[in-house]
Amino acid sequence: MKNRSCVIVLVGEETAHRKWVKYEIKKAWNDGRALLGIYIHNIKDPLLCKQGESGESYKGDNPFKQFELNDGAKLSDVVKCYNPWWLDPYNDIKENLEDWIEEAIEIRNQYK
């Protein structure tokens, strides 16, 4: 994350429960970096597809709900977690990612 202004968390079925994800979210916020999440449950997992499964997973919990800011608000009230359009998640992310990052940076600048 060195020299990066924004950290994107790809939120899958187990993301919110992974200790290293929690660590990186906390570190990114404490280091002054912007954060945003993108739910990936509608994106096909190529490994599962090769095994004959659908390749889709269940929507995971918002990992930002686990963190509290100094004023008592939840980080999830500040950091946005986007749920791409289920019919075309790849293009939805492609067309919106730049705007989502810029918005996340603007939001983070309000909390410095």
Side-chain angles (χ1 to χ4, degrees):
M1 293 189 304
K2 187 176 181 180
N3 300 321
R4 302 293 176 233
S5 57
C6 184
V7 174
I8 300 169
V9 179
L10 300 177
V11 182
E13 194 173 344
E14 299 295 324
T15 303
H17 309 291
R18 304 217 184 259
K19 78 175 186 177
W20 288 111
V21 172
K22 294 176 190 179
Y23 171 83
E24 294 295 345
I25 289 171
K26 184 176 182 179
K27 179 166 178 32
W29 186 262
N30 289 339
D31 288 349
R33 289 181 176 81
L35 286 164
L36 72 93
I38 300 175
Y39 289 107
I40 58 170
H41 62 285
N42 288 320
I43 295 176
K44 304 260 185 219
D45 181 335
L47 294 176
L48 292 177
C49 290
K50 284 182 182 179
Q51 297 171 2
E53 298 179 33
S54 71
E56 293 179 6
S57 63
Y58 295 102
K59 184 177 179 182
D61 295 328
N62 184 328
F64 306 114
K65 285 185 178 179
Q66 304 172 70
F67 299 92
E68 198 170 284
L69 300 174
N70 292 336
D71 64 1
K74 294 279 186 192
L75 188 58
S76 59
D77 294 334
V78 174
V79 174
K80 293 191 178 185
C81 206
Y82 296 93
N83 193 9
W85 186 44
W86 67 277
L87 287 175
D88 194 5
Y90 301 96
N91 280 320
D92 191 23
I93 294 168
K94 178 182 154 188
E95 292 171 10
N96 292 295
L97 187 58
E98 186 176 337
D99 291 336
W100 294 344
I101 291 169
E102 288 178 21
E103 182 180 23
I105 292 169
E106 287 176 21
I107 290 169
R108 183 62 179 106
N109 286 336
Q110 296 173 13
Y111 287 86
K112 285 196 173 191

